[in-house]
Amino acid sequence: MNKFFLNKKLHFDSLNSTNETLAHLSKKIELQNGFYITTDYQKSGKCRNNDKWDSNPKENLLISIFLNLDLNIENSFVLNQLASLAVLDTLNQFLEQKIEIKWPNDVYVDNKKISGILIKNIVKGGIINSSVIGIGINVNQTNFNKKYIATSMKLLNKKDFELNDIEKILMKNIKKQSMILLQKKISLLSSRYNNHLYRKNLDSLFILNKKRIYAKLIEVNQNGKIKLMFGDGEVNEFSKGEVKLLR
């Protein structure tokens, strides 16, 4: 099912989670590629690692998108690249600041998080049957929990933004990146992802084997593994479950 992007959507005043709601809906009815839901507020929104997504009502874009792109499971990381690049391209249309992708799927501006992405895949027989891509973009919120190093479009540009405008452009960019993927140009997505990689070629702080270590971030391969160079010149690759980038 690769015909998609009819721009059909549902909007809710409040939900526990857009990802949970859309995943549940996809089990009950057949959804078209590009169907999406938005909400003014998430009661139980999550980031990766089950951290709570800090978002005030009606101030940020909270969206989950249904995709069915018939991917092999070994290519699952390309969905992270697709979504990250769509967010980056969207923000570039509104902001002048440098926008970067923090491995594996956060988007940063000025060393602060402005967007997070959470992906849920349904896998059958080694094929990703469908995906729910949850995206949160900090738009007009100006106060954040102190434990989060976060920013927003309003904090950066000192003005309010229309959520609907950002939503429309984001969906156009999701479609654009999905078309690149459907054309089997995975290497193009990987190259662009690495070109905008946060802390690339810089000594950065990681948690590895429960210890804090410094290493130089070289690149992220097409399978989503991060390549690090240590002080002695040794180079190794790690999956997102093995190492965490701090700063």
Side-chain angles (χ1 to χ4, degrees):
M1 182 179 64
N2 289 330
K3 292 182 179 180
F4 58 105
F5 296 102
L6 303 177
N7 289 325
K8 290 186 176 180
K9 63 171 282 191
L10 289 175
H11 178 77
F12 299 86
D13 292 335
S14 178
L15 288 174
N16 282 331
S17 161
T18 55
N19 265 23
E20 289 177 5
T21 300
L22 187 53
H24 179 71
L25 188 62
S26 70
K27 295 176 183 177
K28 302 181 78 172
I29 61 174
E30 184 176 350
L31 298 177
Q32 294 288 333
N33 261 326
F35 179 87
Y36 66 101
I37 65 173
T38 57
T39 187
D40 293 332
Y41 179 66
Q42 284 191 122
K43 300 174 185 176
S44 305
K46 299 289 185 183
C47 310
R48 202 173 68 86
N49 299 324
N50 282 323
D51 289 337
K52 188 177 186 301
W53 180 259
D54 183 28
S55 181
N56 293 341
K58 297 185 177 182
E59 292 188 347
N60 303 312
L61 180 60
L62 305 172
I63 184 170
S64 287
I65 305 148
F66 179 84
L67 293 180
N68 184 343
L69 302 176
D70 298 325
L71 285 172
N72 290 324
I73 186 63
E74 60 263 28
N75 292 328
S76 63
F77 188 72
V78 75
L79 293 168
N80 296 62
Q81 295 172 332
L82 179 159
S84 299
L85 290 169
V87 171
L88 181 142
D89 288 344
T90 300
L91 291 174
N92 269 329
Q93 292 190 241
F94 296 94
L95 303 176
E96 295 182 356
Q97 292 86 351
K98 184 179 181 180
I99 301 162
E100 298 175 291
I101 300 168
K102 183 183 178 186
W103 178 81
N105 52 0
D106 287 335
V107 179
Y108 268 48
V109 180
D110 292 344
N111 294 308
K112 296 179 180 179
K113 182 174 176 176
I114 195 169
S115 177
I117 298 161
L118 186 64
I119 300 174
K120 178 179 177 62
N121 293 318
I122 304 299
V123 180
K124 293 182 181 179
I127 301 295
I128 299 176
N129 186 256
S130 62
S131 302
V132 172
I133 299 179
I135 297 173
I137 299 178
N138 296 334
V139 181
N140 294 320
Q141 184 168 335
T142 57
N143 61 307
F144 294 92
N145 189 312
K146 290 183 179 180
K147 81 174 191 175
Y148 302 115
I149 304 174
T151 190
S152 69
M153 296 173 68
K154 183 174 181 177
L155 284 173
L156 292 164
N157 270 25
K158 313 301 181 187
K159 68 176 185 179
D160 287 312
F161 292 86
E162 289 292 334
L163 297 182
N164 285 339
D165 293 342
I166 299 163
E167 176 187 318
K168 289 176 183 177
I169 292 174
L170 174 64
M171 288 305 299
K172 286 181 181 178
N173 285 319
I174 289 285
K175 177 178 180 179
K176 178 181 177 181
Q177 300 303 324
S178 296
M179 293 303 296
I180 293 172
L181 177 55
L182 289 173
Q183 293 165 7
K184 310 299 182 184
K185 297 179 180 178
I186 293 178
S187 61
L188 178 59
L189 293 174
S190 181
S191 176
R192 283 202 67 215
Y193 181 94
N194 275 286
N195 286 342
H196 297 283
L197 195 59
Y198 177 70
R199 303 291 302 174
K200 184 178 181 181
N201 293 324
L202 296 175
D203 288 327
S204 304
L205 181 62
F206 297 84
I207 293 180
L208 176 63
N209 296 325
K210 299 182 179 180
K211 295 181 180 179
R212 293 185 173 221
I213 57 98
Y214 282 93
K216 182 178 289 187
L217 197 168
I218 304 301
E219 66 175 1
V220 176
N221 68 22
Q222 290 187 7
N223 294 324
K225 289 189 174 183
I226 192 170
K227 182 182 290 186
L228 303 180
M229 177 184 288
F230 297 92
D232 59 2
E234 182 181 359
V235 176
N236 284 311
E237 293 183 346
F238 301 92
S239 68
K240 59 186 176 183
E242 295 176 309
V243 64
K244 181 178 181 180
L245 171 60
L246 296 180
R247 61 179 184 272

